[in-house]
Amino acid sequence: MKTITEVRNGRCNVSGRRDDVLMSIDIDWARGELADFLNLTDLRPTGTLVNTTRRANHGADSQIVASAQVVEQILDRILPRWRTEVPDDRNKTVNRWCQHREAAQRADAVLLRDAEVRERLGDDAPQLSAASMHQWVWDGARSLWGSGHFREAVTAAARRVNAETQNKVARRDVSETALFQSVFSKDAAKPGQPRLRLMTDDNSDTFRSVHRGAMSFAEGCFAGIRNPNSHEDGLPELPEHEALEQLAAFSVLARWVESATVVNT
């Protein structure tokens, strides 16, 4: 069983070990962009005096800003929490790009040596990335997740799944638990109450089981995850791995909803 990241055609192709974020990144391109940024922001002596203590970035401000626009997107993919986890105290005392530079160096190390580190440390467990979740879920959670607000991020993802489901069945009169109880009901569609079908209604035990399970799963997601997260005051912040598990639950529900067929009367 392979554990080393393979690079084919300049893209990271992981043999079941690294998450989809690295799988989708063009490593050579990303490392090139990071290297260009580090070169542009390198501090070099100014003037002609050999012993001068004054230093300035190698590149022009316009070049650095343009490069940073791309680099920040790379960092957001590889190190989603770099803005809060990488120190920014030297931005004012040394140079405004210090935080970006350290984050770029860390990201480059991830791209270059992630597979090696995992292999050497014996960490071959499958990895799960928030960015690989269903688009509704990750789009809803992304900004809050990046700032470390994990409980709020899960709540935002739940709202997005609810809203997209309402859009799919063109209903605004019910939401969340009541909505999913209606759309996954095994009963035939009624006026104003369309159903979502994950398979053809062939009157089989499988059909009944699938839709009963989807209804119960959705109810669990909203009653057991969404409601406590948004209604309980004073709860401590969720650990990131627990929030990721909760996002995964809503991701499953979102995929079911998106793939389902709408049945009207």
Side-chain angles (χ1 to χ4, degrees):
M1 184 177 294
K2 296 181 180 180
T3 58
I4 300 178
T5 301
E6 300 174 9
V7 179
R8 296 175 181 167
N9 298 324
R11 290 193 176 274
C12 178
N13 181 16
V14 183
S15 302
R17 290 294 179 261
R18 186 56 176 160
D19 57 58
D20 288 346
V21 172
L22 289 187
M23 287 179 68
S24 63
I25 289 178
D26 184 328
I27 291 183
D28 291 340
W29 171 82
R31 293 195 66 213
E33 292 293 330
L34 294 173
D36 288 344
F37 176 78
L38 290 172
N39 179 58
L40 289 170
T41 55
D42 186 34
L43 291 176
R44 302 184 182 184
T46 60
T48 58
L49 297 178
V50 176
N51 295 323
T52 182
T53 59
R54 296 187 59 188
R55 284 172 167 71
N57 296 123
H58 176 59
D61 288 346
S62 59
Q63 293 176 302
I64 296 174
V65 169
S67 178
Q69 177 65 24
V70 175
V71 165
E72 286 177 353
Q73 295 181 63
I74 297 173
L75 297 179
D76 287 344
R77 291 289 301 279
I78 301 173
L79 305 172
R81 298 177 63 191
W82 68 273
R83 289 179 173 83
T84 55
E85 291 187 343
V86 178
D88 63 357
D89 53 297
R90 298 175 68 237
N91 283 9
K92 293 183 179 180
T93 60
V94 180
N95 185 265
R96 65 171 290 193
W97 300 108
C98 285
Q99 183 188 34
H100 282 68
R101 282 181 58 83
E102 181 175 336
Q105 290 165 344
R106 293 188 187 191
D108 188 61
V110 171
L111 291 172
L112 179 63
R113 307 195 65 187
D114 181 78
E116 175 192 349
V117 169
R118 289 181 181 279
E119 183 183 30
R120 297 299 184 185
L121 295 180
D123 180 6
D124 63 350
Q127 300 296 305
L128 183 63
S129 165
S132 68
M133 302 292 179
H134 190 279
Q135 184 178 354
W136 297 345
V137 169
W138 183 229
D139 284 353
R142 184 195 303 269
S143 61
L144 289 163
W145 194 274
S147 59
H149 295 86
F150 301 123
R151 193 179 294 278
E152 292 181 50
V154 174
T155 299
R159 290 185 182 130
R160 177 68 183 273
V161 173
N162 176 76
E164 294 292 350
T165 305
Q166 288 180 317
N167 290 339
K168 181 152 186 166
V169 296
R171 294 193 68 178
R172 297 292 185 275
D173 56 317
V174 291
S175 65
E176 300 190 352
T177 300
L179 172 66
F180 287 95
Q181 287 174 338
S182 176
V183 298
F184 285 130
S185 171
K186 300 183 294 296
D187 296 338
K190 300 176 182 178
Q193 296 182 27
R195 308 300 187 206
L196 292 180
R197 293 298 180 234
L198 300 171
M199 60 177 288
T200 302
D201 185 356
D202 57 1
N203 199 33
S204 66
D205 289 340
T206 299
F207 170 83
R208 288 186 285 273
S209 176
V210 164
H211 291 83
R212 181 176 67 250
M215 182 192 300
S216 298
F217 183 78
E219 182 177 1
C221 285
F222 283 93
I225 298 176
R226 192 276 195 216
N227 289 348
N229 278 344
S230 57
H231 294 160
E232 294 293 332
D233 295 331
L235 288 176
E237 184 56 82
L238 277 176
E240 185 172 6
H241 69 279
E242 290 186 22
L244 190 62
E245 292 168 355
Q246 294 184 4
L247 277 189
F250 281 102
S251 182
V252 171
L253 181 58
R255 293 190 194 283
W256 286 350
V257 171
E258 186 179 38
S259 65
T261 301
V262 178
V263 175
N264 292 287
T265 54

